[in-house]
């Protein structure tokens, strides 16, 4: 009984809503056929993995690239990851997914340097970037 009451309180305290940005991206995913996605942190990786699929996604922890979060639940050891920012800048078929839902100063991906990237799309709370040298 106590556990049930606890779960109900949690549900009422933090209402769950669908990510409109990711839903928009998923609806337009065929636009990005043949492209590979990069997630900038572990939390967004778990969400992105659901929407774009783990085979099209690589994790790059922009705040701490050497940190290996594959032991986390929902991430898994089969996760593709990179520790090199140049991989993102030099991938002709790479697209960076940047979740901008929360204020920049509170996010661990706030240090993402967009100077070598161009924004190619925005879906509510997520932005997509491609390396400038590959955007036509």
């Amino acid at each position: 009984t106590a556990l049930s009451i606890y779960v109900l309180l949690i549900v009422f305290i933090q209402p769950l809503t669908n990510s409109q940005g990711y839903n928009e991206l998923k609806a337009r995913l065929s636009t990005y056929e043949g492209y590979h996605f990069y997630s900038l942190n572990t939390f967004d990786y778990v969400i992105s993995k659901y929407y774009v699929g783990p085979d099209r996604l690589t994790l790059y922890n922009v705040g701490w690239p050497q940190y290996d979060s594959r032991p986390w639940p929902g991430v898994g050891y089969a996760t593709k990851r990179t520790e090199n920012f140049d991989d993102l800048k030099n991938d002709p078929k790479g697209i960076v997914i940047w979740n901008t839902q929360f204020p920049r100063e509170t996010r661990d991906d706030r240090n993402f340097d967009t100077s070598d990237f161009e924004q190619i799309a925005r879906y509510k709370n997520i932005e997509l970037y491609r390396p400038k040298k590959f955007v036509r």
Side-chain angles (χ1 to χ4, degrees):
T1 302
L3 182 61
S4 297
I5 291 171
Y6 178 75
V7 169
L8 282 173
L9 287 173
I10 295 290
V11 168
F12 289 120
I13 290 172
Q14 179 62 39
L16 298 175
T17 59
N18 290 331
S19 172
Q20 293 178 344
Y22 278 104
N23 285 333
E24 284 183 83
L25 172 60
K26 184 158 184 148
R28 293 174 177 84
L29 203 54
S30 63
T31 305
Y32 307 104
E33 193 65 41
Y35 286 90
H36 184 78
F37 295 93
Y38 292 90
S39 179
L40 296 174
N41 64 56
T42 305
F43 298 106
D44 291 336
Y45 175 85
V46 173
I47 297 168
S48 299
K49 182 169 80 168
Y50 171 77
Y51 286 95
V52 303
D55 55 321
R56 295 182 69 184
L57 187 63
T58 298
L59 172 61
Y60 173 73
N61 282 316
V62 71
W64 187 7
Q66 297 78 22
Y67 180 69
D68 185 3
S69 56
R70 290 180 295 177
W72 287 26
V75 178
Y77 286 99
T79 296
K80 291 183 277 184
R81 58 184 290 274
T82 183
E83 296 179 8
N84 188 351
F85 189 63
D86 287 338
D87 290 348
L88 282 69
K89 294 190 310 186
N90 296 318
D91 187 345
K93 290 291 188 174
I95 297 176
V96 175
I97 301 175
W98 196 16
N99 187 342
T100 58
Q101 181 173 3
F102 299 109
R104 188 173 184 152
E105 60 274 2
T106 65
R107 300 190 323 248
D108 62 349
D109 59 4
R110 66 184 165 270
N111 297 326
F112 173 51
D113 180 10
T114 60
S115 61
D116 291 324
F117 295 85
E118 183 174 318
Q119 184 179 350
I120 59 168
R122 179 175 177 85
Y123 303 112
K124 301 284 183 194
N125 60 318
I126 59 173
E127 298 173 2
L128 301 183
Y129 287 86
R130 292 223 30 237
K132 283 182 181 176
K133 60 184 169 185
F134 300 117
V135 176
R136 296 181 191 124

